[in-house]
Amino acid sequence: MRRRIRMIVAGLAATLWAGSVHAQTEASAEAWRQLARADLDAAHALILESHPGAVPALGDEAFRQRMGRGYETAVARIAAIDSYVGYTAVLGGFATAFGDEHIWSNPRLRGVPYAWAGLVMTRRGGQWVVAMQDGEDQGLVGARLMSCDSETAEALAASRLAFRVSSPVEAQYIAHGGFMFVDDGNPFLSRPRQCVFETADGPANIEMNWRPVPTPRLAEALTAAAPGARAGFGVRRSGDHWWIALERL
């Protein structure tokens, strides 16, 4: 009888503990949702008050429509978040919705679990190319990405980098392209499963091997693969335009 009572008490305790953990988890998720909404509304108000494109008298209706759609999308996303990662995704997606490269919300590498496919991409000559491959096998370095899960490389980049790239210009893709095959926990992105690369030996169909990666290792790989250049100082013609180089101010 006593054993049965102990088992009942233990079961009740476990149930109460599980309920407490669930309540705490839901409370934490709701706190992130409330914070996301507050900061989203603050960012929206800031753009309305200070961005020239938001001034009706200037007639930039396209910008105002992008801002409205971006805000509505961000508000709708809030219900799906429950952590800091979701919070940053909501604000990042809102910031890139304007199509203005002067506006962004890209936190630096942070101490949250990252996963990657062991490949760091870069932009070369208008193409997506493997700049770094993790491990001893380096067979994909220099290979050109053709598609993933029947989606073209350009379409994949547009979706995978949508929360980082404010405007679809080469400089933005070069700056953020290394994150194409990095999973930072964004709940609104899915991992590519199978990709086709154009190698020196022909097309290669690769099953993407997603696995955890420590933040220091990821930072090291992204830094090593980042293209480096010195702009210098000067003025030269580039097609119908002029290129003005200012390496520093």
Side-chain angles (χ1 to χ4, degrees):
M1 184 68 177
R2 290 180 180 177
R3 180 180 179 185
R4 183 179 179 184
I5 292 174
R6 285 197 298 269
M7 290 175 64
I8 292 174
V9 171
L12 288 172
T15 301
L16 291 173
W17 177 83
S20 175
V21 170
H22 175 75
Q24 292 176 13
T25 301
E26 181 54 34
S28 175
E30 181 58 27
W32 281 114
R33 289 191 283 266
Q34 291 180 8
L35 180 61
R37 182 58 188 263
D39 285 354
L40 173 63
D41 287 345
H44 184 237
L46 180 63
I47 297 298
L48 281 174
E49 294 170 2
S50 60
H51 198 291
V55 179
L58 295 181
D60 193 346
E61 185 60 25
F63 178 87
R64 291 174 59 81
Q65 289 180 1
R66 290 197 302 271
M67 180 175 62
R69 290 194 300 268
Y71 177 72
E72 291 175 0
T73 298
V75 170
R77 284 171 172 164
I78 290 176
I81 71 171
D82 59 7
S83 66
Y84 172 69
V85 174
Y87 161 86
T88 59
V90 167
L91 293 181
F94 176 61
T96 58
F98 308 116
D100 184 342
E101 59 266 31
H102 300 98
I103 302 175
W104 67 88
S105 176
N106 291 327
R108 297 181 181 275
L109 288 174
R110 51 193 185 270
V112 299
Y114 283 92
W116 71 344
L119 301 174
V120 176
M121 305 300 295
T122 191
R123 190 78 169 165
R124 294 178 187 167
Q127 305 289 339
W128 288 105
V129 177
V130 178
M132 194 284 301
Q133 183 175 5
D134 187 48
E136 295 182 2
D137 183 5
Q138 300 294 302
L140 289 178
V141 174
R144 180 163 60 100
L145 177 64
M146 305 300 292
S147 65
C148 286
D149 301 330
S150 300
E151 187 177 31
T152 67
E154 294 303 315
L156 177 72
S159 60
R160 293 286 301 168
L161 303 178
F163 293 81
R164 297 178 179 274
V165 172
S166 301
S167 183
V169 296
E170 288 299 295
Q172 290 270 304
Y173 281 141
I174 290 171
H176 302 289
F179 284 91
M180 188 181 297
F181 292 127
V182 174
D183 183 353
D184 62 358
N186 187 324
F188 309 110
L189 293 177
S190 58
R191 298 176 177 180
R193 294 169 296 177
Q194 200 163 39
C195 299
V196 179
F197 294 85
E198 183 66 38
T199 71
D201 299 323
N205 201 327
I206 305 298
E207 193 78 28
M208 304 302 280
N209 177 24
W210 291 90
R211 66 268 194 188
V213 55
T215 301
R217 171 61 184 136
L218 177 59
E220 177 187 32
L222 291 172
T223 300
R230 300 293 296 273
F233 297 89
V235 178
R236 67 179 184 274
R237 197 165 188 83
S238 178
D240 295 332
H241 306 281
W242 290 91
W243 177 272
I244 302 175
L246 291 173
E247 187 168 312
R248 65 180 183 273
L249 296 175

